[in-house]
Amino acid sequence: MDMKTILVVEDEREIARMVQSYLIREGYRVEVAFSGEDGWATFRSLRPDLVILDLMLPGMHGLEVARRIRQEGATPIIMLTARSEEADRVAGLEMGADDYVTKPFSLRELAARVRAVLRRTEGGTAPEVVRAGDLTVDLAAREARLRGTLLELTPTEFDLLAFLARHPGRVFTRRELLEALQERTYATLPRTVDSHVKNLRHKIEPDPENPTYILTVHGVGYKFRPAEGG
Ligand code: CA
C-alpha cells in the first residue's frame, strides 16, 4: 500500500502540530494549513487522500472549505468540532463530510477514525470516466465523446461539462458553477454560465432545444442528468 497523504487544516497550531507528528508516526504523509484559505490552496496543490478539517477557522469557515472540497470530488473529510458546534457538525455531514471528532479528542481516537474512513472510502474515489447515454467524459484525458466521436470543446466548456457530469443529478446554481470555473473564466456574471451551457448543448445534445444531458432547473440552475438507476 502506498503512503497516504493527509491535510490537516487547523488554526490552533499546537493541535495541528500534535496531530501532524502523531499521524506521521502512524505512517502517513501529513501537511498542515492554519487557515481556511491556506487549507483550500494546499488542498488544490497537494490533492491529499484525506482532509482533517477544523470548522472554526479565521477567515474562510471550515464549512466553506468542505463545500469546495466536495465540489472537486470525493476526498474524505473528517471534521474537528467543538461540542457547542452541533449545527455546524450537522451542516458538515449534510455537505458530505465523512466523520467528525469532537474536541478535546485523543490522538489515538483520531488516528482510528482516519484508518476507518480511509478503509471505507478505499477504491471509492471519483471515477475517471463518466458515461451517460451516448456521452462519454474522460476526466483524465480531458476528452468528451458522443457516440465515439471526439467533441471539440473549449477548455471552459469541458470544465463545465466535467464538473456537472461528476455530480449527476445534483443541482448547481449559476453562481456555484461560476465558482467551479473561476480559475479559467474570470467571469463574474452568472449569466455567463448560460452562454457556456448553450454552446455546450449545441455540441453534445442531439436536440439542443430539448436537452437530455445538461438539464435546466428553473429558478435555480443546472444539473447533469441523474445516473441510470440512481
Ligand atoms: Ca479553530
mmCIF file with all atom_site columns, all heavy atoms in Angstrom, residues 211-223:
data_model
loop_
_atom_site.group_PDB
_atom_site.id
_atom_site.type_symbol
_atom_site.label_atom_id
_atom_site.label_alt_id
_atom_site.label_comp_id
_atom_site.label_asym_id
_atom_site.label_entity_id
_atom_site.label_seq_id
_atom_site.pdbx_PDB_ins_code
_atom_site.Cartn_x
_atom_site.Cartn_y
_atom_site.Cartn_z
_atom_site.occupancy
_atom_site.B_iso_or_equiv
_atom_site.pdbx_formal_charge
_atom_site.auth_seq_id
_atom_site.auth_comp_id
_atom_site.auth_asym_id
_atom_site.auth_atom_id
_atom_site.pdbx_PDB_model_num
ATOM 1   N N   . PRO A 1 211 ? -32.882 19.395 -24.260 1.00 0.00 ? 211 PRO A N   1
ATOM 2   C CA  . PRO A 1 211 ? -31.654 18.758 -23.760 1.00 0.00 ? 211 PRO A CA  1
ATOM 3   C C   . PRO A 1 211 ? -31.926 17.504 -22.921 1.00 0.00 ? 211 PRO A C   1
ATOM 4   O O   . PRO A 1 211 ? -32.911 17.433 -22.192 1.00 0.00 ? 211 PRO A O   1
ATOM 5   C CB  . PRO A 1 211 ? -30.999 19.847 -22.911 1.00 0.00 ? 211 PRO A CB  1
ATOM 6   C CG  . PRO A 1 211 ? -32.085 20.814 -22.604 1.00 0.00 ? 211 PRO A CG  1
ATOM 7   C CD  . PRO A 1 211 ? -33.064 20.750 -23.721 1.00 0.00 ? 211 PRO A CD  1
ATOM 8   N N   . THR A 1 212 ? -31.017 16.531 -23.071 1.00 0.00 ? 212 THR A N   1
ATOM 9   C CA  . THR A 1 212 ? -31.147 15.289 -22.303 1.00 0.00 ? 212 THR A CA  1
ATOM 10  C C   . THR A 1 212 ? -29.966 15.081 -21.363 1.00 0.00 ? 212 THR A C   1
ATOM 11  O O   . THR A 1 212 ? -29.999 14.215 -20.505 1.00 0.00 ? 212 THR A O   1
ATOM 12  C CB  . THR A 1 212 ? -31.236 14.070 -23.239 1.00 0.00 ? 212 THR A CB  1
ATOM 13  O OG1 . THR A 1 212 ? -30.064 14.059 -24.057 1.00 0.00 ? 212 THR A OG1 1
ATOM 14  C CG2 . THR A 1 212 ? -32.466 14.121 -24.103 1.00 0.00 ? 212 THR A CG2 1
ATOM 15  N N   . TYR A 1 213 ? -28.886 15.854 -21.549 1.00 0.00 ? 213 TYR A N   1
ATOM 16  C CA  . TYR A 1 213 ? -27.712 15.673 -20.675 1.00 0.00 ? 213 TYR A CA  1
ATOM 17  C C   . TYR A 1 213 ? -27.625 16.790 -19.636 1.00 0.00 ? 213 TYR A C   1
ATOM 18  O O   . TYR A 1 213 ? -27.586 16.534 -18.445 1.00 0.00 ? 213 TYR A O   1
ATOM 19  C CB  . TYR A 1 213 ? -26.430 15.623 -21.518 1.00 0.00 ? 213 TYR A CB  1
ATOM 20  C CG  . TYR A 1 213 ? -26.359 14.405 -22.392 1.00 0.00 ? 213 TYR A CG  1
ATOM 21  C CD1 . TYR A 1 213 ? -26.492 14.501 -23.771 1.00 0.00 ? 213 TYR A CD1 1
ATOM 22  C CD2 . TYR A 1 213 ? -26.164 13.147 -21.833 1.00 0.00 ? 213 TYR A CD2 1
ATOM 23  C CE1 . TYR A 1 213 ? -26.435 13.373 -24.581 1.00 0.00 ? 213 TYR A CE1 1
ATOM 24  C CE2 . TYR A 1 213 ? -26.114 12.014 -22.622 1.00 0.00 ? 213 TYR A CE2 1
ATOM 25  C CZ  . TYR A 1 213 ? -26.246 12.132 -24.000 1.00 0.00 ? 213 TYR A CZ  1
ATOM 26  O OH  . TYR A 1 213 ? -26.199 11.014 -24.790 1.00 0.00 ? 213 TYR A OH  1
ATOM 27  N N   . ILE A 1 214 ? -27.550 18.026 -20.109 1.00 0.00 ? 214 ILE A N   1
ATOM 28  C CA  . ILE A 1 214 ? -27.492 19.142 -19.163 1.00 0.00 ? 214 ILE A CA  1
ATOM 29  C C   . ILE A 1 214 ? -28.892 19.743 -19.062 1.00 0.00 ? 214 ILE A C   1
ATOM 30  O O   . ILE A 1 214 ? -29.405 20.341 -20.009 1.00 0.00 ? 214 ILE A O   1
ATOM 31  C CB  . ILE A 1 214 ? -26.468 20.196 -19.602 1.00 0.00 ? 214 ILE A CB  1
ATOM 32  C CG1 . ILE A 1 214 ? -25.073 19.551 -19.613 1.00 0.00 ? 214 ILE A CG1 1
ATOM 33  C CG2 . ILE A 1 214 ? -26.483 21.392 -18.645 1.00 0.00 ? 214 ILE A CG2 1
ATOM 34  C CD1 . ILE A 1 214 ? -23.972 20.483 -20.034 1.00 0.00 ? 214 ILE A CD1 1
ATOM 35  N N   . LEU A 1 215 ? -29.497 19.559 -17.900 1.00 0.00 ? 215 LEU A N   1
ATOM 36  C CA  . LEU A 1 215 ? -30.897 19.932 -17.722 1.00 0.00 ? 215 LEU A CA  1
ATOM 37  C C   . LEU A 1 215 ? -31.018 21.241 -16.963 1.00 0.00 ? 215 LEU A C   1
ATOM 38  O O   . LEU A 1 215 ? -30.253 21.502 -16.023 1.00 0.00 ? 215 LEU A O   1
ATOM 39  C CB  . LEU A 1 215 ? -31.631 18.827 -16.952 1.00 0.00 ? 215 LEU A CB  1
ATOM 40  C CG  . LEU A 1 215 ? -31.409 17.396 -17.482 1.00 0.00 ? 215 LEU A CG  1
ATOM 41  C CD1 . LEU A 1 215 ? -32.123 16.382 -16.591 1.00 0.00 ? 215 LEU A CD1 1
ATOM 42  C CD2 . LEU A 1 215 ? -31.890 17.254 -18.919 1.00 0.00 ? 215 LEU A CD2 1
ATOM 43  N N   . THR A 1 216 ? -31.981 22.066 -17.374 1.00 0.00 ? 216 THR A N   1
ATOM 44  C CA  . THR A 1 216 ? -32.249 23.314 -16.679 1.00 0.00 ? 216 THR A CA  1
ATOM 45  C C   . THR A 1 216 ? -33.163 23.035 -15.486 1.00 0.00 ? 216 THR A C   1
ATOM 46  O O   . THR A 1 216 ? -34.141 22.306 -15.607 1.00 0.00 ? 216 THR A O   1
ATOM 47  C CB  . THR A 1 216 ? -32.967 24.307 -17.615 1.00 0.00 ? 216 THR A CB  1
ATOM 48  O OG1 . THR A 1 216 ? -32.119 24.550 -18.743 1.00 0.00 ? 216 THR A OG1 1
ATOM 49  C CG2 . THR A 1 216 ? -33.249 25.631 -16.905 1.00 0.00 ? 216 THR A CG2 1
ATOM 50  N N   . VAL A 1 217 ? -32.805 23.593 -14.341 1.00 0.00 ? 217 VAL A N   1
ATOM 51  C CA  . VAL A 1 217 ? -33.691 23.516 -13.179 1.00 0.00 ? 217 VAL A CA  1
ATOM 52  C C   . VAL A 1 217 ? -34.211 24.928 -12.972 1.00 0.00 ? 217 VAL A C   1
ATOM 53  O O   . VAL A 1 217 ? -33.475 25.818 -12.523 1.00 0.00 ? 217 VAL A O   1
ATOM 54  C CB  . VAL A 1 217 ? -32.943 23.021 -11.927 1.00 0.00 ? 217 VAL A CB  1
ATOM 55  C CG1 . VAL A 1 217 ? -33.892 22.912 -10.746 1.00 0.00 ? 217 VAL A CG1 1
ATOM 56  C CG2 . VAL A 1 217 ? -32.300 21.665 -12.204 1.00 0.00 ? 217 VAL A CG2 1
ATOM 57  N N   . HIS A 1 218 ? -35.457 25.155 -13.343 1.00 0.00 ? 218 HIS A N   1
ATOM 58  C CA  . HIS A 1 218 ? -35.976 26.515 -13.405 1.00 0.00 ? 218 HIS A CA  1
ATOM 59  C C   . HIS A 1 218 ? -35.905 27.223 -12.062 1.00 0.00 ? 218 HIS A C   1
ATOM 60  O O   . HIS A 1 218 ? -36.225 26.649 -11.034 1.00 0.00 ? 218 HIS A O   1
ATOM 61  C CB  . HIS A 1 218 ? -37.404 26.509 -13.954 1.00 0.00 ? 218 HIS A CB  1
ATOM 62  C CG  . HIS A 1 218 ? -37.426 26.173 -15.418 1.00 0.00 ? 218 HIS A CG  1
ATOM 63  N ND1 . HIS A 1 218 ? -36.996 27.070 -16.381 1.00 0.00 ? 218 HIS A ND1 1
ATOM 64  C CD2 . HIS A 1 218 ? -37.747 25.039 -16.079 1.00 0.00 ? 218 HIS A CD2 1
ATOM 65  C CE1 . HIS A 1 218 ? -37.075 26.499 -17.574 1.00 0.00 ? 218 HIS A CE1 1
ATOM 66  N NE2 . HIS A 1 218 ? -37.534 25.251 -17.417 1.00 0.00 ? 218 HIS A NE2 1
ATOM 67  N N   . GLY A 1 219 ? -35.451 28.432 -12.120 1.00 0.00 ? 219 GLY A N   1
ATOM 68  C CA  . GLY A 1 219 ? -35.332 29.242 -10.922 1.00 0.00 ? 219 GLY A CA  1
ATOM 69  C C   . GLY A 1 219 ? -34.107 28.911 -10.082 1.00 0.00 ? 219 GLY A C   1
ATOM 70  O O   . GLY A 1 219 ? -33.856 29.556 -9.070  1.00 0.00 ? 219 GLY A O   1
ATOM 71  N N   . VAL A 1 220 ? -33.335 27.887 -10.480 1.00 0.00 ? 220 VAL A N   1
ATOM 72  C CA  . VAL A 1 220 ? -32.174 27.503 -9.685  1.00 0.00 ? 220 VAL A CA  1
ATOM 73  C C   . VAL A 1 220 ? -30.897 27.511 -10.519 1.00 0.00 ? 220 VAL A C   1
ATOM 74  O O   . VAL A 1 220 ? -30.012 28.345 -10.331 1.00 0.00 ? 220 VAL A O   1
ATOM 75  C CB  . VAL A 1 220 ? -32.350 26.103 -9.049  1.00 0.00 ? 220 VAL A CB  1
ATOM 76  C CG1 . VAL A 1 220 ? -31.195 25.807 -8.094  1.00 0.00 ? 220 VAL A CG1 1
ATOM 77  C CG2 . VAL A 1 220 ? -33.676 26.008 -8.303  1.00 0.00 ? 220 VAL A CG2 1
ATOM 78  N N   . GLY A 1 221 ? -30.811 26.592 -11.475 1.00 0.00 ? 221 GLY A N   1
ATOM 79  C CA  . GLY A 1 221 ? -29.583 26.490 -12.255 1.00 0.00 ? 221 GLY A CA  1
ATOM 80  C C   . GLY A 1 221 ? -29.614 25.295 -13.179 1.00 0.00 ? 221 GLY A C   1
ATOM 81  O O   . GLY A 1 221 ? -30.577 25.115 -13.928 1.00 0.00 ? 221 GLY A O   1
ATOM 82  N N   . TYR A 1 222 ? -28.580 24.460 -13.065 1.00 0.00 ? 222 TYR A N   1
ATOM 83  C CA  . TYR A 1 222 ? -28.458 23.325 -13.978 1.00 0.00 ? 222 TYR A CA  1
ATOM 84  C C   . TYR A 1 222 ? -28.062 22.063 -13.234 1.00 0.00 ? 222 TYR A C   1
ATOM 85  O O   . TYR A 1 222 ? -27.491 22.117 -12.156 1.00 0.00 ? 222 TYR A O   1
ATOM 86  C CB  . TYR A 1 222 ? -27.391 23.613 -15.032 1.00 0.00 ? 222 TYR A CB  1
ATOM 87  C CG  . TYR A 1 222 ? -27.716 24.779 -15.914 1.00 0.00 ? 222 TYR A CG  1
ATOM 88  C CD1 . TYR A 1 222 ? -27.135 26.016 -15.683 1.00 0.00 ? 222 TYR A CD1 1
ATOM 89  C CD2 . TYR A 1 222 ? -28.616 24.647 -16.962 1.00 0.00 ? 222 TYR A CD2 1
ATOM 90  C CE1 . TYR A 1 222 ? -27.446 27.108 -16.482 1.00 0.00 ? 222 TYR A CE1 1
ATOM 91  C CE2 . TYR A 1 222 ? -28.936 25.718 -17.763 1.00 0.00 ? 222 TYR A CE2 1
ATOM 92  C CZ  . TYR A 1 222 ? -28.348 26.959 -17.518 1.00 0.00 ? 222 TYR A CZ  1
ATOM 93  O OH  . TYR A 1 222 ? -28.653 28.020 -18.309 1.00 0.00 ? 222 TYR A OH  1
ATOM 94  N N   . LYS A 1 223 ? -28.358 20.937 -13.868 1.00 0.00 ? 223 LYS A N   1
ATOM 95  C CA  . LYS A 1 223 ? -27.842 19.668 -13.357 1.00 0.00 ? 223 LYS A CA  1
ATOM 96  C C   . LYS A 1 223 ? -27.554 18.743 -14.527 1.00 0.00 ? 223 LYS A C   1
ATOM 97  O O   . LYS A 1 223 ? -28.135 18.882 -15.599 1.00 0.00 ? 223 LYS A O   1
ATOM 98  C CB  . LYS A 1 223 ? -28.846 19.012 -12.403 1.00 0.00 ? 223 LYS A CB  1
ATOM 99  C CG  . LYS A 1 223 ? -30.109 18.491 -13.073 1.00 0.00 ? 223 LYS A CG  1
ATOM 100 C CD  . LYS A 1 223 ? -30.982 17.742 -12.061 1.00 0.00 ? 223 LYS A CD  1
ATOM 101 C CE  . LYS A 1 223 ? -32.256 17.245 -12.741 1.00 0.00 ? 223 LYS A CE  1
ATOM 102 N NZ  . LYS A 1 223 ? -33.164 16.585 -11.784 1.00 0.00 ? 223 LYS A NZ  1
#
